[in-house]
Amino acid sequence: RALLGIAAAMVAGAATARAANAQGILVQGIADAEAWKTDSGSILLTRNGGQPSFLGRMHLWGAAGVGRHLIVYAAGTAETGNARGESGTEWYTELAGVRFTQSEGLVIDAGKIQPVIGTFAARRYSTRNPLIGMPDGYPLQYPLGVQASGARGRFDYRAAVVSLPT
């Protein structure tokens, strides 16, 4: 129910933003479900005390053009079910920000943004490896910050003030 409610809110928000004369709206997502029946022999691997359990997860990401130079974007995950470590439904906002684009030479991002160093932000989608869930190999932490970047010919730059170390 919670996942359907979140999806309905995203669709309603997209319709409202389109009516507000936005340039464009993109909402995409991945929904998946897991069913578990484990034994109680392992503390680390047991789900729901060894009883049958279920987990539903929805990853949503979207962006909306608000005016000629401004884009609002976000990505998050909702998770619910009795196979979770904690009870209830939880929403994780992984990425959320505003992008101002004057030209290719000047782009300013503010909010919970991608890390400044590197060209690929870490992501944790369950479809990548459903047997692991959330891998331990890297943290999924997007810093709060403001970043200016751009490119002109062979020259490109990126500078930012962020809340987390690299």
Side-chain angles (χ1 to χ4, degrees):
R1 288 182 200 163
L3 293 175
L4 289 175
I6 290 168
M10 292 290 289
V11 170
T16 303
R18 185 171 297 277
N21 201 17
Q23 283 186 335
I25 295 172
L26 169 70
V27 177
Q28 295 180 330
I30 298 173
D32 62 69
E34 298 176 10
W36 293 82
K37 174 58 179 102
T38 60
D39 64 19
S40 58
S42 170
I43 295 173
L44 297 175
L45 299 177
T46 298
R47 302 267 182 141
N48 196 26
Q51 298 300 314
S53 55
F54 302 93
L55 183 113
R57 190 179 299 114
M58 183 178 289
H59 304 283
L60 292 173
W61 53 93
V66 183
R68 187 171 174 197
H69 300 286
L70 203 60
I71 297 173
V72 178
Y73 57 90
T77 301
E79 189 175 70
T80 190
N82 60 359
R84 286 177 29 89
E86 302 105 25
S87 63
T89 300
E90 189 158 1
W91 173 263
Y92 309 94
T93 302
E94 294 151 357
L95 180 72
V98 176
R99 174 173 289 171
F100 174 77
T101 305
Q102 179 64 37
S103 66
E104 286 185 6
L106 178 61
V107 177
I108 298 173
D109 281 291
K112 199 170 185 183
I113 61 175
Q114 291 185 18
V116 179
I117 297 176
T119 58
F120 180 77
R123 294 178 181 96
R124 228 182 250 158
Y125 296 136
S126 57
T127 55
R128 305 256 326 249
N129 191 343
L131 298 177
I132 293 176
M134 294 197 174
D136 296 331
Y138 57 86
L140 183 60
Q141 294 180 330
Y142 292 97
L144 292 172
V146 176
Q147 172 180 283
S149 61
R152 287 282 183 196
R154 293 183 177 199
F155 176 74
D156 65 62
Y157 69 94
R158 186 181 316 179
V161 176
V162 293
S163 64
L164 295 173
T166 301

